[in-house]
Amino acid sequence: MPEFKLKIQWEDAIKQRENAEYQGRLGYNKLEDVEYVNEALKDYDQLTNELDALIHIDATDEHFVYSWRLQQEAVLRKTRGAGMTDEQVINFVDGYYPAYELFTDSLRAGAFSGEEGRQLRIVVGKDRKVREVRRI
């Protein structure tokens, strides 16, 4: 993501955080930390450039990732006797959730700018059932 756009999104998240309704995590991170991750992710452009197509499994609400991971860890604790606690899951997801805030919109718009038809976006609901399939 271009640095100017990253900074705008980060500043917007900071402003939203002041609103009691803010549900994101980006606004709780330092700009330099967000810039560091953004810079590191540029290495993945080389990999993306090698793809002929991309299947993107998306959710109708990004916050589902919390409940899905909580469910997964509960099953692990029950079946294997080990897994993250609910608090550990929240902390774990909080760590990467800012990426959803920063990059989901551009991924939904299409990973192959200007080249239609190479990306399939499968949108699922909280129950993990397919709600929509779109070719981008």
Side-chain angles (χ1 to χ4, degrees), residues 47-122:
L47 174 66
T48 306
N49 292 340
E50 297 296 319
L51 297 176
D52 294 322
L54 176 70
I55 297 173
H56 169 211
I57 300 174
D58 196 0
T60 55
D61 183 334
E62 296 88 12
H63 286 94
F64 293 164
V65 70
Y66 284 95
S67 59
W68 290 339
R69 189 59 190 241
L70 287 164
Q71 290 168 357
Q72 177 185 9
E73 293 298 323
V75 169
L76 284 173
R77 289 191 305 268
K78 184 177 179 180
T79 60
R80 297 198 178 162
M84 288 189 274
T85 66
D86 288 357
E87 183 180 349
Q88 289 171 322
V89 169
I90 300 300
N91 289 333
F92 176 71
V93 176
D94 281 352
Y96 65 80
Y97 192 83
Y100 284 92
E101 293 175 81
L102 287 170
F103 306 113
T104 298
D105 288 343
S106 61
L107 186 56
R108 286 175 175 163
F112 306 102
S113 49
E115 299 182 46
E116 291 187 26
R118 292 178 56 194
Q119 181 172 331
L120 189 65
R121 179 174 172 238
I122 302 171

